[in-house]
Amino acid sequence: GENVEQHPSTLSVQEGDSAVIKCTYSDSASNYFPWYKQELGKGPQLIIDIRSNVGEKKDQRIAVTLNKTAKHFSLHITETQPEDSAVYFCAANSNSGGSNYKLTFGKGTLLTVNP
Amino acid sequence: GAGVSQTPSNKVTEKGKYVELRCDPISGHTALYWYRQSLGQGPEFLIYFQGTGAADDSGLPNDRFFAVRPEGSVSTLKIQRTERGDSAVYLCASGQPQETQYFGPGTRLLVL
């Protein structure tokens, strides 16, 4: 099955700096890669996703890049703000046997943005 | 609009007891998912419903776990003979097939 590795496990940046979180996946058939933000005591909230037919996607201060050859994808947050502080999870779908709905998540990155 | 809701938000039970966790998906979403999240980990897939039927229950850890969705909307995750290792946050998500999964706030289960 799919295996997703996420790094770093913790990341501390100064307000206004950029933050980058990287993930690798194992299943070359995966074709959908969402990123979720989870605040303490809440459920994961989708912030951006990318499908394998594009290499990059941007939404205001957030961007995701995908390298299918290397099987890795990254989240980039620019001009970080204290409210960006949360745990971020990457995920990849399992696309074997037509079952492309099952998401495998990384272990998460605790991002702290210091004012 | 209303998001995915889950009840109860917290559940404390004793080892060996039976518990039911409820999920109300976003109206109109035919796909419903249950995940389990242990402390410091990402969510782990349990089961997927397309309509009323469980299309994939490969993530259920053993036969103490069972889930239903009788009318294709609300779903209930049922855990029999609870064990301390079942303590976790149980997350429900809904969406359209092969589209974004929207998560609820979760039910925090503690088995004493």
Side-chain angles (χ1 to χ4, degrees):
Chain A
E2 175 69 278
N3 182 49
V4 176
E5 299 284 340
Q6 182 172 347
H7 299 281
S9 57
T10 61
L11 180 59
S12 182
V13 300
Q14 289 298 123
E15 182 177 0
D17 287 350
S18 295
V20 180
I21 303 170
K22 298 182 179 182
C23 289
T24 60
Y25 62 97
S26 61
D27 186 354
S28 57
S30 294
N31 61 2
Y32 174 63
F33 308 91
W35 286 87
Y36 286 86
K37 175 184 180 182
Q38 187 172 31
E39 297 176 328
L40 195 61
K42 297 185 178 181
Q45 178 187 11
L46 180 79
I47 54 171
I48 196 168
D49 57 13
I50 191 168
R51 296 187 184 271
S52 60
N53 55 345
V54 298
E56 183 173 358
K57 184 176 178 181
K58 189 173 183 180
D59 182 5
Q60 299 183 345
R61 297 186 297 110
I62 296 173
V64 57
T65 59
L66 171 65
N67 183 327
K68 284 214 71 181
T69 303
K71 289 190 282 189
H72 65 71
F73 55 114
S74 301
L75 177 71
H76 304 251
I77 306 174
T78 59
E79 301 172 21
T80 53
Q81 302 166 2
E83 50 265 40
D84 293 330
S85 297
V87 178
Y88 290 80
F89 291 97
C90 64
N93 69 333
S94 296
N95 200 11
S96 59
S99 59
N100 59 357
Y101 46 79
K102 186 186 304 184
L103 295 179
T104 299
F105 285 80
K107 291 189 174 182
T109 296
L110 174 61
L111 174 64
T112 303
V113 180
N114 302 299
Chain B
V4 177
S5 62
Q6 292 186 245
T7 54
S9 55
N10 294 279
K11 177 70 177 179
V12 181
T13 191
E14 294 179 342
K15 180 176 178 294
K17 298 290 188 180
Y18 168 82
V19 297
E20 289 189 351
L21 312 179
R22 176 187 168 109
C23 172
D24 284 79
I26 294 171
S27 178
H29 282 180
T30 60
L32 186 146
Y33 315 80
W34 284 97
Y35 290 81
R36 179 167 72 173
Q37 186 175 25
S38 300
L39 196 62
Q41 303 293 317
E44 293 179 315
F45 172 83
L46 295 177
I47 187 169
Y48 161 60
F49 287 91
Q50 177 50 44
T52 60
D56 184 347
D57 65 357
S58 62
L60 295 178
N62 51 60
D63 61 6
R64 296 186 297 105
F65 289 74
F66 189 71
V68 296
R69 194 186 186 199
E71 298 179 357
S73 178
V74 171
S75 176
T76 305
L77 179 65
K78 308 180 180 191
I79 310 174
Q80 299 178 320
R81 305 184 303 280
T82 52
E83 300 178 355
R84 293 191 180 88
D86 298 334
S87 297
V89 177
Y90 289 82
L91 294 163
C92 176
S94 73
Q96 299 301 352
Q98 303 181 34
E99 297 295 330
T100 300
Q101 296 183 26
Y102 297 92
F103 282 83
T107 292
R108 283 147 193 80
L109 176 66
L110 177 61
V111 182
L112 300 176

